[in-house]
């Protein structure tokens, strides 16, 4: 049996708001006297985590983020939660992390400004990354189901935070009901300002959304995108442009995109020659870590050692990094693989 937690890993798709420690949330609820319909710890858990008996739907999955918005009640809380997310990634031996966060979500509980929450998150995330020896990039997310005017404001701020480690802009949210088109001008400007682009598509919506994300939003990477296999045009486009896919198996299972993990299209995507990376999406909502997803890929989906290492190499290749930093990181991973007794591919 392979020890996946000992392997050095890279992750490109993890949401801050979906990665919060249950223990801390519980403490915050108590300290802040939040009134929640949760008489017991188990009820509390069900508010913020997908449980086995729940409906595995996108709606249920997204409902957890709505509850979590109640918790972001002070700069100290936001900074603490952020630092813990980075510490937990480091504890799972993630050496390179692109962490995405949704500024609008963090402002809501107390009417903080977008600038304030971006200031707090970027500062504490980088401080924690330094402390734990994680190489960190931050991605700012905007939601399709929220107004494009708000997204424009967030995107402009994100560009001004490039000097503070923000490397990309992400479109998240309800893809089944909200098209990407209204966000095209915002993403064009962000790209011109030097931000990298990744878009959630082909998860809760059809493969055509992957093509739309690539053509209209110039996405370099696609969040999930697992339905791309259903459409030859989207496949051709993804191959032609070298688009990388941020695949998150447990998230797909819990939000009802795949009926069982055994039927997850990850092996088919690899076999089709797509650029595939393995990610958690929302580790605390799903009750997993990245090692868990590696174990699934290996034990349930039958992906061998080479395939697993290839996905990490693809993550380094598709990381939103300058070429100098990428080369240094590749070297660090090769050394870490050797130290762990792994032969690099
Ligand atoms: N899809 C869309 N939006 C999201 C997701 C997701 O899987 N996770 C967090 N926000
Ligand atoms: Zn996501």
């Amino acid at each position: 049996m392979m020890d996946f937690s000992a392997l050095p890993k890279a992750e490109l798709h993890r949401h801050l708001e979906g990665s919060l420690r249950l223990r801390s949330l519980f403490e915050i609820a108590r300290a802040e006297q939040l009134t929640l319909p949760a008489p017991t710890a188990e009820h509390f858990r069900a508010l913020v985590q997908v449980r086995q008996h729940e409906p595995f739907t996108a709606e249920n999955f997204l409902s957890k983020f709505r509850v979590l918005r109640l918790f972001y009640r002070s700069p100290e809380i936001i900074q603490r939660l952020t630092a813990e997310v980075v510490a937990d990634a480091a504890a799972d031996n993630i050496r390179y992390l692109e962490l995405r966060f949704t500024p609008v979500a963090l402002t809501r509980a107390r009417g903080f400004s977008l600038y304030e929450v971006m200031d707090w998150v970027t500062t504490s995330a980088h401080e924690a990354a330094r402390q734990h020896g994680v190489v960190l990039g931050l991605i700012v997310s905007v939601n399709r189901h929220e107004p494009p005017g708000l997204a424009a404001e967030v995107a402009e701020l994100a560009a001004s935070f490039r000097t503070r480690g923000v490397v990309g802009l992400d479109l998240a949210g309800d893809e089944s009901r909200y098209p990407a088109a209204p966000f095209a001008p915002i993403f064009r400007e962000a790209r011109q300002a030097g931000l990298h682009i990744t878009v959630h598509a082909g998860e809760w919506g059809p493969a055509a959304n992957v093509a739309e994300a690539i053509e209209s939003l110039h996405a370099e990477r696609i969040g999930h995108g697992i339905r791309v296999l259903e459409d030859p045009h989207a496949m051709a486009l993804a191959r032609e442009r070298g688009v990388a896919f941020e695949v998150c198996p447990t998230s797909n299972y819990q939000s009802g995109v795949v009926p069982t993990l055994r039927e997850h299209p990850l092996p088919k995507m690899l076999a089709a020659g797509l650029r595939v990376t393995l990610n958690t999406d929302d580790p605390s909502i799903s009750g997993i870590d990245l090692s868990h997803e590696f174990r699934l890929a290996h034990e349930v989906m039958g992906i061998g050692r080479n395939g697993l290492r290839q996905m990490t190499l693809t993550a380094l290749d598709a990381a939103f990094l300058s070429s100098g930093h990428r080369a240094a990181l590749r070297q660090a991973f090769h050394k870490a693989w050797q130290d762990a007794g792994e032969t690099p591919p």
Side-chain angles (χ1 to χ4, degrees), residues 13-15 100 170 172 200 203 223-224 248 251 281-282:
H13 190 134
R14 177 178 295 222
H15 296 260
R100 58 191 73 195
D170 164 46
H200 285 72
E203 175 198 20
H224 306 282
C248 315
S251 166
D281 207 13
D282 300 292

Side-chain angles (χ1 to χ4, degrees), residues 75-92:
E76 293 73 27
I77 289 173
I78 292 174
Q79 285 168 330
R80 167 193 177 175
L81 292 172
T82 302
E84 288 172 352
V85 168
V86 175
D88 289 351
D92 194 29

Side-chain angles (χ1 to χ4, degrees), residues 94-275:
I94 291 172
R95 310 281 180 94
Y96 178 74
L97 174 64
E98 282 179 20
L99 181 64
R100 58 191 73 195
F101 67 107
T102 309
V104 168
L106 300 170
T107 63
R108 286 291 194 241
R110 282 289 162 97
F112 298 130
S113 73
L114 290 165
Y115 178 86
E116 283 175 315
V117 299
M118 289 177 70
D119 181 29
W120 301 331
V121 170
T122 51
T123 304
S124 56
H126 281 288
E127 167 66 28
R130 237 186 332 271
Q131 234 172 43
H132 296 281
V134 174
V135 181
L136 177 77
L138 291 168
I139 296 173
V140 165
S141 295
V142 294
N143 279 320
R144 291 169 186 261
H145 55 261
E146 293 179 318
L150 195 53
E153 199 183 329
V154 173
E156 203 169 304
L157 263 171
S160 78
F161 270 75
R162 278 188 69 213
T163 51
R164 301 177 61 177
V166 171
V167 296
L169 184 67
D170 164 46
L171 186 62
D174 186 355
E175 180 204 353
S176 69
R177 288 188 297 163
Y178 296 84
F183 297 88
I186 298 165
F187 276 68
R188 186 186 324 118
E189 276 202 25
R191 204 162 52 94
Q192 282 165 356
L195 288 175
H196 289 281
I197 305 297
T198 178
V199 173
H200 285 72
E203 175 198 20
W204 301 331
N209 289 4
V210 174
E212 180 189 40
I214 297 170
E215 285 179 315
S216 309
L217 267 54
H218 299 277
E220 299 153 73
R221 301 197 319 233
I222 297 290
H224 306 282
I226 62 173
R227 292 185 59 188
V228 68
L229 293 166
E230 296 168 17
D231 176 16
H233 168 65
M235 284 290 283
L237 202 57
R239 282 216 193 83
E240 197 180 292
R241 307 265 176 105
V243 168
F245 290 83
E246 305 156 355
V247 174
C248 315
T250 297
S251 166
N252 296 153
Y253 175 52
Q254 292 183 343
S255 72
V257 185
V258 295
T260 67
L261 282 161
R262 211 165 283 285
E263 290 163 84
H264 194 283
L266 173 63
K268 287 202 186 87
M269 293 174 80
L270 282 169
L274 294 174
R275 301 178 73 207

